[in-house]
Tab-separated table of all heavy atoms in Angstrom:
chain	number	residue	atom	x	y	z
C	221	MET	N	-153.389	-56.936	242.974
C	221	MET	CA	-152.354	-57.163	241.957
C	221	MET	C	-151.849	-58.614	242.063
C	221	MET	O	-151.643	-59.135	243.149
C	221	MET	CB	-151.197	-56.174	242.169
C	221	MET	CG	-150.141	-56.267	241.071
C	221	MET	SD	-148.885	-55.006	241.287
C	221	MET	CE	-149.796	-53.545	240.765
C	222	THR	N	-151.645	-59.200	240.915
C	222	THR	CA	-151.220	-60.588	240.927
C	222	THR	C	-149.715	-60.693	240.788
C	222	THR	O	-149.038	-59.742	240.400
C	222	THR	CB	-151.865	-61.360	239.769
C	222	THR	OG1	-151.387	-60.820	238.537
C	222	THR	CG2	-153.377	-61.236	239.810
C	223	ARG	N	-149.202	-61.839	241.098
C	223	ARG	CA	-147.763	-62.080	240.958
C	223	ARG	C	-147.344	-61.925	239.498
C	223	ARG	O	-146.280	-61.371	239.201
C	223	ARG	CB	-147.442	-63.489	241.435
C	223	ARG	CG	-145.961	-63.818	241.429
C	223	ARG	CD	-145.736	-65.185	242.054
C	223	ARG	NE	-146.376	-66.234	241.272
C	223	ARG	CZ	-145.773	-66.836	240.236
C	223	ARG	NH1	-144.547	-66.526	239.919
C	223	ARG	NH2	-146.401	-67.760	239.560
C	224	GLU	N	-148.182	-62.373	238.573
C	224	GLU	CA	-147.847	-62.299	237.167
C	224	GLU	C	-147.716	-60.854	236.724
C	224	GLU	O	-146.855	-60.508	235.919
C	224	GLU	CB	-148.895	-63.024	236.328
C	224	GLU	CG	-148.783	-64.546	236.405
C	224	GLU	CD	-149.266	-65.074	237.747
C	224	GLU	OE1	-150.076	-64.381	238.392
C	224	GLU	OE2	-148.820	-66.152	238.154
C	225	ALA	N	-148.575	-59.997	237.254
C	225	ALA	CA	-148.521	-58.589	236.877
C	225	ALA	C	-147.224	-57.955	237.374
C	225	ALA	O	-146.632	-57.115	236.699
C	225	ALA	CB	-149.727	-57.864	237.458
C	226	LEU	N	-146.795	-58.327	238.564
C	226	LEU	CA	-145.558	-57.786	239.112
C	226	LEU	C	-144.353	-58.237	238.294
C	226	LEU	O	-143.446	-57.464	238.005
C	226	LEU	CB	-145.377	-58.243	240.563
C	226	LEU	CG	-146.213	-57.511	241.595
C	226	LEU	CD1	-146.099	-58.222	242.935
C	226	LEU	CD2	-145.767	-56.063	241.727
C	227	LEU	N	-144.346	-59.494	237.926
C	227	LEU	CA	-143.186	-60.053	237.226
C	227	LEU	C	-143.264	-59.833	235.720
C	227	LEU	O	-142.290	-60.037	235.015
C	227	LEU	CB	-143.075	-61.553	237.517
C	227	LEU	CG	-142.834	-61.906	238.991
C	227	LEU	CD1	-142.862	-63.412	239.181
C	227	LEU	CD2	-141.513	-61.335	239.479
C	228	ARG	N	-144.434	-59.441	235.239
C	228	ARG	CA	-144.646	-59.249	233.799
C	228	ARG	C	-144.288	-60.500	233.013
C	228	ARG	O	-143.697	-60.436	231.953
C	228	ARG	CB	-143.824	-58.055	233.285
C	228	ARG	CG	-144.389	-56.725	233.759
C	228	ARG	CD	-143.681	-55.551	233.109
C	228	ARG	NE	-144.469	-54.325	233.225
C	228	ARG	CZ	-145.463	-54.015	232.404
C	228	ARG	NH1	-145.775	-54.806	231.399
C	228	ARG	NH2	-146.128	-52.891	232.572
C	229	THR	N	-144.633	-61.639	233.553
C	229	THR	CA	-144.438	-62.888	232.834
C	229	THR	C	-145.774	-63.607	232.757
C	229	THR	O	-146.606	-63.454	233.647
C	229	THR	CB	-143.424	-63.795	233.554
C	229	THR	OG1	-143.867	-64.006	234.883
C	229	THR	CG2	-142.042	-63.171	233.569
C	230	PRO	N	-145.976	-64.358	231.711
C	230	PRO	CA	-147.241	-65.086	231.602
C	230	PRO	C	-147.343	-66.160	232.659
C	230	PRO	O	-146.331	-66.676	233.136
C	230	PRO	CB	-147.187	-65.690	230.195
C	230	PRO	CG	-145.724	-65.765	229.865
C	230	PRO	CD	-145.090	-64.603	230.580
C	231	ALA	N	-148.563	-66.485	233.018
C	231	ALA	CA	-148.770	-67.543	233.995
C	231	ALA	C	-148.265	-68.857	233.431
C	231	ALA	O	-148.428	-69.135	232.250
C	231	ALA	CB	-150.257	-67.644	234.336
C	232	PRO	N	-147.651	-69.680	234.247
C	232	PRO	CA	-147.172	-70.977	233.762
C	232	PRO	C	-148.340	-71.884	233.417
C	232	PRO	O	-149.445	-71.721	233.928
C	232	PRO	CB	-146.363	-71.528	234.936
C	232	PRO	CG	-146.956	-70.850	236.135
C	232	PRO	CD	-147.378	-69.489	235.658
C	233	PHE	N	-148.085	-72.829	232.535
C	233	PHE	CA	-149.109	-73.789	232.138
C	233	PHE	C	-149.196	-74.876	233.196
C	233	PHE	O	-148.282	-75.678	233.364
C	233	PHE	CB	-148.740	-74.374	230.773
C	233	PHE	CG	-149.727	-75.400	230.280
C	233	PHE	CD1	-151.068	-75.074	230.165
C	233	PHE	CD2	-149.301	-76.664	229.922
C	233	PHE	CE1	-151.982	-76.016	229.702
C	233	PHE	CE2	-150.207	-77.615	229.454
C	233	PHE	CZ	-151.545	-77.283	229.346
C	234	THR	N	-150.279	-74.843	233.970
C	234	THR	CA	-150.424	-75.793	235.074
C	234	THR	C	-151.780	-76.477	234.985
C	234	THR	O	-152.697	-76.143	235.723
C	234	THR	CB	-150.275	-75.095	236.429
C	234	THR	OG1	-151.271	-74.060	236.505
C	234	THR	CG2	-148.898	-74.477	236.589
C	235	PRO	N	-151.911	-77.430	234.076
C	235	PRO	CA	-153.199	-78.128	233.959
C	235	PRO	C	-153.420	-79.049	235.149
C	235	PRO	O	-152.464	-79.482	235.787
C	235	PRO	CB	-153.020	-78.946	232.672
C	235	PRO	CG	-151.547	-79.201	232.601
C	235	PRO	CD	-150.896	-77.963	233.172
C	236	PRO	N	-154.670	-79.357	235.447
C	236	PRO	CA	-154.952	-80.278	236.552
C	236	PRO	C	-154.567	-81.698	236.180
C	236	PRO	O	-154.746	-82.132	235.048
C	236	PRO	CB	-156.461	-80.142	236.752
C	236	PRO	CG	-156.974	-79.698	235.419
C	236	PRO	CD	-155.880	-78.847	234.817
C	237	CYS	N	-154.054	-82.414	237.159
C	237	CYS	CA	-153.686	-83.812	236.967
C	237	CYS	C	-154.947	-84.647	236.767
C	237	CYS	O	-155.946	-84.435	237.449
C	237	CYS	CB	-152.903	-84.296	238.187
C	237	CYS	SG	-152.569	-86.071	238.165
C	238	ALA	N	-154.885	-85.570	235.813
C	238	ALA	CA	-156.054	-86.405	235.529
C	238	ALA	C	-156.333	-87.394	236.649
C	238	ALA	O	-157.421	-87.942	236.732
C	238	ALA	CB	-155.839	-87.155	234.215
C	239	TYR	N	-155.363	-87.627	237.500
C	239	TYR	CA	-155.523	-88.634	238.557
C	239	TYR	C	-155.819	-88.001	239.908
C	239	TYR	O	-156.755	-88.400	240.585
C	239	TYR	CB	-154.259	-89.499	238.655
C	239	TYR	CG	-154.006	-90.302	237.403
C	239	TYR	CD1	-152.962	-89.963	236.546
C	239	TYR	CD2	-154.814	-91.386	237.077
C	239	TYR	CE1	-152.733	-90.702	235.392
C	239	TYR	CE2	-154.602	-92.123	235.928
C	239	TYR	CZ	-153.554	-91.778	235.088
C	239	TYR	OH	-153.326	-92.492	233.949
C	240	CYS	N	-154.992	-87.036	240.315
C	240	CYS	CA	-155.176	-86.479	241.656
C	240	CYS	C	-155.843	-85.109	241.607
C	240	CYS	O	-156.144	-84.543	242.641
C	240	CYS	CB	-153.841	-86.397	242.394
C	240	CYS	SG	-152.671	-85.219	241.684
C	241	ASP	N	-156.041	-84.555	240.388
C	241	ASP	CA	-156.791	-83.324	240.195
C	241	ASP	C	-156.055	-82.096	240.732
C	241	ASP	O	-156.630	-81.035	240.864
C	241	ASP	CB	-158.177	-83.421	240.835
C	241	ASP	CG	-159.210	-82.636	240.041
C	241	ASP	OD1	-159.048	-82.523	238.817
C	241	ASP	OD2	-160.162	-82.122	240.652
C	242	ARG	N	-154.787	-82.228	241.033
C	242	ARG	CA	-154.012	-81.069	241.465
C	242	ARG	C	-153.282	-80.477	240.269
C	242	ARG	O	-152.819	-81.216	239.392
C	242	ARG	CB	-152.997	-81.482	242.539
C	242	ARG	CG	-153.631	-81.677	243.903
C	242	ARG	CD	-152.585	-82.043	244.928
C	242	ARG	NE	-152.103	-83.393	244.710
C	242	ARG	CZ	-151.705	-84.211	245.676
C	242	ARG	NH1	-151.702	-83.796	246.922
C	242	ARG	NH2	-151.281	-85.421	245.410
C	243	GLU	N	-153.161	-79.172	240.253
C	243	GLU	CA	-152.437	-78.526	239.169
C	243	GLU	C	-150.954	-78.863	239.269
C	243	GLU	O	-150.392	-78.920	240.351
C	243	GLU	CB	-152.636	-77.013	239.222
C	243	GLU	CG	-154.070	-76.619	238.917
C	243	GLU	CD	-154.217	-75.116	238.863
C	243	GLU	OE1	-153.237	-74.406	239.165
C	243	GLU	OE2	-155.316	-74.655	238.527
C	244	THR	N	-150.335	-79.096	238.116
C	244	THR	CA	-148.925	-79.438	238.093
C	244	THR	C	-148.192	-78.520	237.134
C	244	THR	O	-148.706	-78.185	236.067
C	244	THR	CB	-148.724	-80.900	237.672
C	244	THR	OG1	-147.329	-81.134	237.510
C	244	THR	CG2	-149.434	-81.222	236.378
C	245	ALA	N	-146.995	-78.103	237.540
C	245	ALA	CA	-146.180	-77.245	236.688
C	245	ALA	C	-145.353	-78.061	235.715
C	245	ALA	O	-144.687	-77.512	234.846
C	245	ALA	CB	-145.270	-76.361	237.534
C	246	ALA	N	-145.380	-79.384	235.863
C	246	ALA	CA	-144.617	-80.266	234.979
C	246	ALA	C	-145.541	-81.354	234.442
C	246	ALA	O	-145.385	-82.517	234.770
C	246	ALA	CB	-143.432	-80.869	235.727
C	247	PRO	N	-146.539	-80.962	233.643
C	247	PRO	CA	-147.530	-81.940	233.184
C	247	PRO	C	-146.929	-82.984	232.260
C	247	PRO	O	-146.039	-82.702	231.463
C	247	PRO	CB	-148.554	-81.077	232.442
C	247	PRO	CG	-147.783	-79.888	231.984
C	247	PRO	CD	-146.770	-79.636	233.066
C	248	VAL	N	-147.432	-84.198	232.395
C	248	VAL	CA	-147.048	-85.302	231.516
C	248	VAL	C	-148.304	-85.747	230.775
C	248	VAL	O	-149.332	-85.999	231.401
C	248	VAL	CB	-146.470	-86.478	232.332
C	248	VAL	CG1	-146.108	-87.638	231.416
C	248	VAL	CG2	-145.247	-86.025	233.127
C	249	VAL	N	-148.225	-85.804	229.462
C	249	VAL	CA	-149.393	-86.222	228.681
C	249	VAL	C	-149.624	-87.712	228.892
C	249	VAL	O	-148.730	-88.524	228.688
C	249	VAL	CB	-149.178	-85.918	227.188
C	249	VAL	CG1	-150.366	-86.439	226.368
C	249	VAL	CG2	-149.010	-84.422	226.965
C	250	VAL	N	-150.805	-88.057	229.350
C	250	VAL	CA	-151.123	-89.463	229.600
C	250	VAL	C	-152.282	-89.943	228.728
C	250	VAL	O	-152.711	-91.083	228.829
C	250	VAL	CB	-151.469	-89.710	231.087
C	250	VAL	CG1	-150.244	-89.480	231.958
C	250	VAL	CG2	-152.612	-88.825	231.522
C	251	GLY	N	-152.775	-89.078	227.865
C	251	GLY	CA	-153.855	-89.519	226.995
C	251	GLY	C	-154.326	-88.376	226.128
C	251	GLY	O	-154.170	-87.207	226.476
C	252	ALA	N	-154.891	-88.724	224.985
C	252	ALA	CA	-155.427	-87.709	224.089
C	252	ALA	C	-156.407	-88.370	223.146
C	252	ALA	O	-156.362	-89.580	222.932
C	252	ALA	CB	-154.312	-87.028	223.296
C	253	GLY	N	-157.272	-87.558	222.614
C	253	GLY	CA	-158.243	-88.128	221.684
C	253	GLY	C	-159.194	-87.053	221.200
C	253	GLY	O	-158.951	-85.859	221.390
C	254	ASP	N	-160.247	-87.483	220.574
C	254	ASP	CA	-161.234	-86.556	220.039
C	254	ASP	C	-162.617	-86.959	220.534
C	254	ASP	O	-162.975	-88.132	220.526
C	254	ASP	CB	-161.215	-86.573	218.507
C	254	ASP	CG	-159.904	-86.063	217.952
C	254	ASP	OD1	-159.632	-84.866	218.116
C	254	ASP	OD2	-159.154	-86.865	217.377
C	255	TRP	N	-163.362	-85.962	220.963
C	255	TRP	CA	-164.746	-86.207	221.321
C	255	TRP	C	-165.540	-86.445	220.051
C	255	TRP	O	-165.132	-86.032	218.960
C	255	TRP	CB	-165.334	-85.000	222.061
C	255	TRP	CG	-164.718	-84.752	223.395
C	255	TRP	CD1	-163.944	-83.683	223.733
C	255	TRP	CD2	-164.828	-85.544	224.582
C	255	TRP	NE1	-163.561	-83.786	225.054
C	255	TRP	CE2	-164.092	-84.907	225.587
C	255	TRP	CE3	-165.492	-86.745	224.876
C	255	TRP	CZ2	-164.000	-85.438	226.883
C	255	TRP	CZ3	-165.390	-87.262	226.155
C	255	TRP	CH2	-164.645	-86.605	227.140
C	256	PRO	N	-166.698	-87.085	220.161
C	256	PRO	CA	-167.546	-87.292	218.975
C	256	PRO	C	-167.924	-85.987	218.288
C	256	PRO	O	-168.184	-85.977	217.095
C	256	PRO	CB	-168.791	-88.000	219.552
C	256	PRO	CG	-168.290	-88.685	220.784
C	256	PRO	CD	-167.210	-87.758	221.340
C	257	ASN	N	-167.957	-84.893	219.043
C	257	ASN	CA	-168.339	-83.620	218.439
C	257	ASN	C	-167.156	-82.923	217.778
C	257	ASN	O	-167.279	-81.802	217.298
C	257	ASN	CB	-169.001	-82.698	219.467
C	257	ASN	CG	-168.044	-82.317	220.582
C	257	ASN	OD1	-166.846	-82.572	220.500
C	257	ASN	ND2	-168.562	-81.704	221.623
C	258	GLY	N	-165.998	-83.571	217.740
C	258	GLY	CA	-164.853	-83.008	217.025
C	258	GLY	C	-163.882	-82.253	217.896
C	258	GLY	O	-162.818	-81.873	217.432
C	259	CYS	N	-164.231	-82.037	219.178
C	259	CYS	CA	-163.311	-81.332	220.060
C	259	CYS	C	-162.161	-82.255	220.452
C	259	CYS	O	-162.366	-83.441	220.712
C	259	CYS	CB	-164.036	-80.835	221.314
C	259	CYS	SG	-165.174	-79.496	220.983
C	260	ARG	N	-160.969	-81.674	220.496
C	260	ARG	CA	-159.782	-82.448	220.866
C	260	ARG	C	-159.520	-82.277	222.353
C	260	ARG	O	-159.689	-81.192	222.891
C	260	ARG	CB	-158.600	-81.923	220.060
C	260	ARG	CG	-157.274	-82.570	220.427
C	260	ARG	CD	-156.415	-82.700	219.189
C	260	ARG	NE	-156.766	-83.942	218.497
C	260	ARG	CZ	-155.902	-84.934	218.296
C	260	ARG	NH1	-154.680	-84.786	218.688
C	260	ARG	NH2	-156.271	-86.030	217.707
C	261	PHE	N	-159.148	-83.347	223.012
C	261	PHE	CA	-158.820	-83.236	224.426
C	261	PHE	C	-157.491	-83.926	224.705
C	261	PHE	O	-157.095	-84.857	224.013
C	261	PHE	CB	-159.928	-83.824	225.313
C	261	PHE	CG	-160.062	-85.326	225.204
C	261	PHE	CD1	-159.333	-86.159	226.040
C	261	PHE	CD2	-160.913	-85.889	224.280
C	261	PHE	CE1	-159.455	-87.544	225.955
C	261	PHE	CE2	-161.042	-87.274	224.176
C	261	PHE	CZ	-160.312	-88.099	225.013
C	262	VAL	N	-156.799	-83.414	225.698
C	262	VAL	CA	-155.538	-84.001	226.135
C	262	VAL	C	-155.604	-84.150	227.643
C	262	VAL	O	-156.060	-83.250	228.348
C	262	VAL	CB	-154.334	-83.115	225.751
C	262	VAL	CG1	-153.027	-83.727	226.246
C	262	VAL	CG2	-154.286	-82.911	224.240
C	263	ARG	N	-155.185	-85.286	228.134
C	263	ARG	CA	-155.169	-85.514	229.578
C	263	ARG	C	-153.728	-85.396	230.066
C	263	ARG	O	-152.812	-85.922	229.459
C	263	ARG	CB	-155.713	-86.902	229.912
C	263	ARG	CG	-157.140	-87.116	229.465
C	263	ARG	CD	-157.579	-88.537	229.746
C	263	ARG	NE	-157.715	-88.753	231.192
C	263	ARG	CZ	-157.495	-89.911	231.792
C	263	ARG	NH1	-157.118	-90.940	231.098
C	263	ARG	NH2	-157.629	-90.019	233.095
C	264	TYR	N	-153.580	-84.704	231.186
C	264	TYR	CA	-152.254	-84.511	231.772
C	264	TYR	C	-152.228	-85.110	233.161
C	264	TYR	O	-153.247	-85.184	233.837
C	264	TYR	CB	-151.917	-83.020	231.867
C	264	TYR	CG	-151.841	-82.315	230.537
C	264	TYR	CD1	-152.933	-81.610	230.049
C	264	TYR	CD2	-150.675	-82.347	229.783
C	264	TYR	CE1	-152.869	-80.962	228.828
C	264	TYR	CE2	-150.595	-81.700	228.568
C	264	TYR	CZ	-151.695	-81.001	228.091
C	264	TYR	OH	-151.630	-80.366	226.896
C	265	ALA	N	-151.048	-85.527	233.569
C	265	ALA	CA	-150.862	-86.011	234.934
C	265	ALA	C	-149.625	-85.347	235.511
C	265	ALA	O	-148.719	-84.939	234.782
C	265	ALA	CB	-150.701	-87.527	234.951
C	266	CYS	N	-149.598	-85.257	236.845
C	266	CYS	CA	-148.404	-84.750	237.489
C	266	CYS	C	-147.324	-85.838	237.423
C	266	CYS	O	-147.639	-87.013	237.212
C	266	CYS	CB	-148.708	-84.343	238.925
C	266	CYS	SG	-149.172	-85.707	239.996
C	267	PRO	N	-146.067	-85.495	237.576
C	267	PRO	CA	-144.995	-86.497	237.454
C	267	PRO	C	-145.196	-87.688	238.382
C	267	PRO	O	-144.923	-88.827	238.003
C	267	PRO	CB	-143.730	-85.707	237.808
C	267	PRO	CG	-144.063	-84.296	237.457
C	267	PRO	CD	-145.533	-84.144	237.782
C	268	ALA	N	-145.670	-87.454	239.591
C	268	ALA	CA	-145.859	-88.547	240.538
C	268	ALA	C	-146.900	-89.531	240.029
C	268	ALA	O	-146.680	-90.747	240.034
C	268	ALA	CB	-146.269	-87.984	241.888
C	269	CYS	N	-148.044	-89.024	239.587
C	269	CYS	CA	-149.092	-89.915	239.097
C	269	CYS	C	-148.683	-90.552	237.774
C	269	CYS	O	-149.037	-91.698	237.499
C	269	CYS	CB	-150.394	-89.138	238.927
C	269	CYS	SG	-151.176	-88.686	240.490
C	270	ALA	N	-147.952	-89.819	236.933
C	270	ALA	CA	-147.529	-90.378	235.652
C	270	ALA	C	-146.633	-91.578	235.867
C	270	ALA	O	-146.745	-92.585	235.168
C	270	ALA	CB	-146.806	-89.309	234.836
C	271	SER	N	-145.745	-91.502	236.858
C	271	SER	CA	-144.852	-92.633	237.123
C	271	SER	C	-145.620	-93.761	237.789
C	271	SER	O	-145.302	-94.931	237.607
C	271	SER	CB	-143.684	-92.184	238.000
C	271	SER	OG	-144.145	-91.741	239.255
C	272	GLU	N	-146.647	-93.410	238.549
C	272	GLU	CA	-147.413	-94.444	239.246
C	272	GLU	C	-148.342	-95.181	238.289
C	272	GLU	O	-148.459	-96.407	238.321
C	272	GLU	CB	-148.229	-93.807	240.372
C	272	GLU	CG	-149.064	-94.815	241.145
C	272	GLU	CD	-149.862	-94.153	242.257
C	272	GLU	OE1	-149.529	-93.001	242.606
C	272	GLU	OE2	-150.803	-94.768	242.747
C	273	HIS	N	-149.009	-94.424	237.429
C	273	HIS	CA	-150.001	-95.016	236.533
C	273	HIS	C	-149.417	-95.343	235.167
C	273	HIS	O	-150.025	-96.077	234.395
C	273	HIS	CB	-151.188	-94.071	236.364
C	273	HIS	CG	-151.959	-93.852	237.630
C	273	HIS	ND1	-153.019	-94.649	238.008
C	273	HIS	CD2	-151.799	-92.938	238.614
C	273	HIS	CE1	-153.489	-94.232	239.165
C	273	HIS	NE2	-152.767	-93.190	239.566
C	274	GLY	N	-148.271	-94.757	234.859
C	274	GLY	CA	-147.677	-94.990	233.550
C	274	GLY	C	-148.169	-93.958	232.552
C	274	GLY	O	-149.327	-93.554	232.574
C	275	ALA	N	-147.274	-93.533	231.686
C	275	ALA	CA	-147.635	-92.538	230.683
C	275	ALA	C	-148.240	-93.225	229.470
C	275	ALA	O	-147.990	-94.392	229.215
C	275	ALA	CB	-146.411	-91.725	230.272
C	276	GLY	N	-149.011	-92.474	228.753
C	276	GLY	CA	-149.621	-93.011	227.544
C	276	GLY	C	-151.078	-93.357	227.765
C	276	GLY	O	-151.491	-93.634	228.892
C	277	PRO	N	-151.863	-93.315	226.713
C	277	PRO	CA	-153.295	-93.584	226.847
C	277	PRO	C	-153.562	-95.035	227.176
C	277	PRO	O	-152.802	-95.936	226.807
C	277	PRO	CB	-153.862	-93.215	225.467
C	277	PRO	CG	-152.699	-93.283	224.535
C	277	PRO	CD	-151.458	-92.987	225.360
C	278	SER	N	-154.614	-95.254	227.911
C	278	SER	CA	-155.032	-96.611	228.256
C	278	SER	C	-156.511	-96.753	227.956
C	278	SER	O	-157.311	-95.885	228.304
C	278	SER	CB	-154.784	-96.855	229.746
C	278	SER	OG	-155.464	-98.043	230.150
C	279	PRO	N	-156.917	-97.830	227.312
C	279	PRO	CA	-158.343	-98.001	226.993
C	279	PRO	C	-159.202	-98.165	228.237
C	279	PRO	O	-160.409	-98.007	228.187
C	279	PRO	CB	-158.358	-99.266	226.127
C	279	PRO	CG	-157.093	-99.980	226.455
C	279	PRO	CD	-156.100	-98.900	226.823
C	280	GLU	N	-158.562	-98.492	229.368
C	280	GLU	CA	-159.343	-98.679	230.590
C	280	GLU	C	-159.564	-97.359	231.319
C	280	GLU	O	-160.350	-97.311	232.269
C	280	GLU	CB	-158.630	-99.655	231.523
C	280	GLU	CG	-158.575	-101.058	230.922
C	280	GLU	CD	-157.808	-102.007	231.825
C	280	GLU	OE1	-157.366	-101.567	232.904
C	280	GLU	OE2	-157.639	-103.144	231.433
C	281	ASP	N	-158.865	-96.315	230.906
C	281	ASP	CA	-159.033	-95.033	231.565
C	281	ASP	C	-160.310	-94.362	231.074
C	281	ASP	O	-160.571	-94.318	229.896
C	281	ASP	CB	-157.855	-94.101	231.279
C	281	ASP	CG	-156.622	-94.536	232.054
C	281	ASP	OD1	-156.773	-95.314	233.008
C	281	ASP	OD2	-155.540	-94.082	231.692
C	282	GLU	N	-161.065	-93.864	232.013
C	282	GLU	CA	-162.289	-93.135	231.675
C	282	GLU	C	-162.250	-91.799	232.375
C	282	GLU	O	-161.833	-91.703	233.530
C	282	GLU	CB	-163.529	-93.899	232.139
C	282	GLU	CG	-163.722	-95.209	231.417
C	282	GLU	CD	-164.201	-95.024	229.985
C	282	GLU	OE1	-164.588	-93.899	229.612
C	282	GLU	OE2	-164.171	-95.995	229.241
C	283	ILE	N	-162.707	-90.767	231.688
C	283	ILE	CA	-162.811	-89.459	232.312
C	283	ILE	C	-164.117	-89.415	233.096
C	283	ILE	O	-165.194	-89.580	232.520
C	283	ILE	CB	-162.776	-88.335	231.263
C	283	ILE	CG1	-161.437	-88.361	230.547
C	283	ILE	CG2	-162.999	-86.975	231.937
C	283	ILE	CD1	-161.344	-87.335	229.444
C	284	THR	N	-163.991	-89.257	234.382
C	284	THR	CA	-165.196	-89.256	235.205
C	284	THR	C	-165.438	-87.885	235.780
C	284	THR	O	-164.531	-87.074	235.857
C	284	THR	CB	-165.079	-90.266	236.351
C	284	THR	OG1	-163.886	-89.994	237.094
C	284	THR	CG2	-165.013	-91.679	235.819
H	609	ZN	ZN1	-151.397	-86.334	240.099
């Protein structure tokens, strides 16, 4: 049985940080765009990395 089942609440939105790859409960959007195939993507960072790297998309950032 999971914690969510016990509490009857949905799992929190915890996307992986684009910089340190750890899941964060307080994601900050640091980039977004569209793939050539039409899929939309959004990059999130944890608050620590967002303050370190700065929020907002950067042309020098690459998804590796
Ligand atoms: Zn991070």
Side-chain angles (χ1 to χ4, degrees):
M221 185 175 286
T222 64
R223 184 174 63 87
E224 285 73 24
L226 283 171
L227 297 175
R228 288 187 162 278
T229 56
F233 179 56
T234 58
C237 173
Y239 296 108
C240 67
D241 213 30
R242 283 182 289 212
E243 293 185 354
T244 173
V248 178
V249 176
V250 294
D254 295 293
W255 294 112
N257 64 10
C259 290
R260 175 145 275 241
F261 68 90
V262 179
R263 299 176 70 211
Y264 297 97
C266 65
C269 288
S271 63
E272 180 180 344
H273 295 270
S278 167
E280 294 177 2
D281 286 343
E282 295 287 349
I283 297 177
T284 54

